[in-house]
Every structure is written in C-alpha cells, then in structure tokens.
Amino acid sequence: MERPPTAIYAVLAVAVLSISASAIFVRLAGDVPAAVIAFYRLGLAVAIMTPWVLLKHRHHLSSITRKDALSSMLAGIFLAAHFILWFESLKYTSVASSVVLVSLQPIFAFLGTYFFFRERFSAGAVLSMMIAITGSVVIGWGDFQTGGGALYGDVLALLGGMMVTGYFLIGQSVRKRLTLTSYTWLVYGMAAVALLIYNLPSPASLVGYDGNQWLVFLSLALIPTFLGHSLLNWSLKWVSTSKISMAVLLEPVGASILAYFLFGENLSWTQLLGGAVVIFGLMIFLLSTSVKRKPTLTYSARKRG
C-alpha cells in the first residue's frame, strides 16, 4: 500500500459518521413507510449516478455478460429486502438495538460461506460468533421485557442483516469483474425497480410528502450512500479492509450517540451490555478471520447503512 494521506483517519471518521446517520434519517422521515424511504434513497442515488455512468462507463456496461447482469439484479433484490426489513425495524425498536443487530452481518456472511462453499472456521471464529450471538440474545431479552413490539423490531433487524448477507454472497464474485461504479449502479437500479414494484400495489403513497421528508430522502442518497461508502472505498487504497471493517464497528456507537441527542433515546442496561458484547465478539471475529482471508463482506455490507 502507498503511504496514506495525513488525513486518512479523519476521512474514515467522516465515513463512519455518515453511515451512522442512516438510521437517524429514517427516524426523521416520520411515518413514511419503510419501503417508500428505501425506494427514494436508492432511486435518487441511481438518478444522481446515471449521467456519470453513461458518460464514463457506458463502454464497460456494454461488455457485461448476461450472467453477471442477472447476478447483479438478484443482488439488488436482496438489497431491497434488506432496506425494507431494516428500515421497518427502526419503527419498532431503538436505533441502538437495530443497528447493533444488523451489524451481525459478518457472522451471517461466514455462515453463508460455510453452508454454500464449505469454508471452515477457526476455533477463534466459532468462539467469537458465540460471543456476538450471546450479546444479541441479551439485547433481545431486554427488549422483550419492554414489550413485544421492540422484540419484533429486533427480529426484523436480524432478518435485514441476513438479506444484506445474501446481497454480498451473490455479488462478491461479480464485483471482481465489474467496476465499482458499474456494479453499484446496476444493483441500486435493480433494487429501486424491485422497491417500486413492491410499493405500487401497496396502500403506501409515493407522493404527497412535505419538503422535510424529501430532504430526508435526498440526504439518505447523498450522505450514507455516497459520502459514507465512497469514502470507505477510496480509503481502501491506503488502509486494509480489516482496519476499515473495525472502523465500521463504530457505526452502532455513532448511531446511538446521535439518537440520544436528537431523539432522547436512552440505552437500557441490556442494550449497553448486549451491544458491548456484540461489538467485542465481532472484533474478535474480524481479527481471527482476517488472518485466513480479507473480510471483504464486512465494510461493503454497509450499503445498508
């Protein structure tokens, strides 16, 4: 790797703060249905990207094979499902619980590689998975005590983590053959189409929102989608994937702090304990697996964030 710029870690901090704001923007959207929020987040992102893609990447787009195009589209459907589930979870459970639980994605990803590709785990990886899952149980138990709705939100967040895992397991090999811009444009585009199809027969309206809500939609497209992930991908030139994965583990911390100041969300002792256990387990997991392979799924999965 080249010598990193002096401000590289400041850039990473901005990126993590940007993805941490994703859950906050969803809350600020108020009573807008989760699928509508997700549609406008990705739809606006695609609209912003399209002129650049057609100007600079149209020749690459024409060379994409049918198999890679179909795989990208399937990945987009999983991404759409992820956003629906995760955004919906934020209407039932706290920002802290939702973001921590969906952050279990690296665990789901390695479980997926085990069942589909028969990849073996080290003893450290198994132990760290057990620690992280224990933390999620603590969070779920605490939220169950406060009411069934919070636990329902926790389940939605976990399902959202599974969906984004499917998104990356499908797209990981495709990404090696496509440029980042072309791949994300295809995936975001398919996800937006899937969300549009999902929304059309539903009672949810795609119009009639006020200026503040449209500002939230645009902010989701610009800040966590572009500013957060673009800076993370830019940082890869100088910083290892494992370090970026560790930095992204601060997303639940950043989201919880923002939720405290903006919404007055206090953390219960089960959320504090469970969240700390989950993050600790994920740190051990990333450290134990980065020796065998680079955990490329972890930071990229924050397309959700």
Side-chain angles (χ1 to χ4, degrees), residues 126-140:
V126 173
L127 176 62
S128 61
M129 282 191 285
M130 293 176 64
I131 292 172
I133 292 171
T134 299
S136 68
V137 170
V138 171
I139 292 173

Side-chain angles (χ1 to χ4, degrees), residues 28-99:
L28 289 174
D31 59 355
V32 181
V36 174
I37 300 173
F39 167 69
Y40 279 118
R41 172 179 177 167
L42 292 172
L44 289 172
V46 171
I48 294 169
M49 291 176 69
T50 296
W52 174 258
V53 171
L54 296 180
L55 183 65
K56 296 291 185 179
H57 295 265
R58 63 181 183 275
H59 298 301
H60 185 262
L61 288 174
S62 63
S63 66
I64 295 175
T65 64
R66 181 183 179 188
K67 180 180 178 181
D68 285 346
L70 290 175
S71 296
S72 300
M73 291 178 182
L74 183 59
I77 293 173
F78 271 87
L79 182 62
H82 158 71
F83 276 128
I84 292 173
L85 291 165
W86 183 47
F87 287 179
E88 189 69 16
S89 77
L90 290 163
K91 298 183 183 298
Y92 294 93
T93 192
S94 68
V95 169
S97 293
S98 179
V99 177

Side-chain angles (χ1 to χ4, degrees), residues 31-36 196-207 209:
D31 59 355
V32 181
V36 174
L196 178 61
I197 295 172
Y198 179 89
N199 279 304
L200 285 177
S202 74
S205 175
L206 290 172
V207 296
Y209 299 109

Side-chain angles (χ1 to χ4, degrees), residues 90-150:
L90 290 163
K91 298 183 183 298
Y92 294 93
T93 192
S94 68
V95 169
S97 293
S98 179
V99 177
V100 166
L101 291 172
V102 85
S103 294
L104 287 168
Q105 181 271 330
I107 305 296
F108 299 140
F110 268 71
L111 288 173
T113 59
Y114 171 77
F115 286 110
F116 291 104
F117 306 115
R118 295 301 176 187
E119 181 170 326
R120 294 187 177 183
F121 296 114
S122 66
V126 173
L127 176 62
S128 61
M129 282 191 285
M130 293 176 64
I131 292 172
I133 292 171
T134 299
S136 68
V137 170
V138 171
I139 292 173
W141 178 79
D143 285 348
F144 178 74
Q145 304 302 309
T146 64

Side-chain angles (χ1 to χ4, degrees), residues 232-287:
L232 288 176
N233 284 299
W234 176 81
S235 301
L236 274 176
K237 183 175 181 180
W238 298 283
V239 181
S240 67
T241 306
S242 58
K243 286 185 178 180
I244 289 179
S245 300
M246 291 295 180
V248 168
L249 289 181
L250 294 174
E251 180 189 355
V253 178
S256 299
I257 293 173
L258 290 172
Y260 173 78
F261 284 108
L262 293 174
F263 309 125
E265 277 196 6
N266 293 308
L267 297 178
S268 66
W269 71 268
T270 54
Q271 289 172 325
L272 284 170
L273 176 61
V277 171
V278 168
I279 293 173
F280 177 68
L282 288 173
M283 288 180 66
I284 296 177
F285 179 80
L286 292 173
L287 288 171

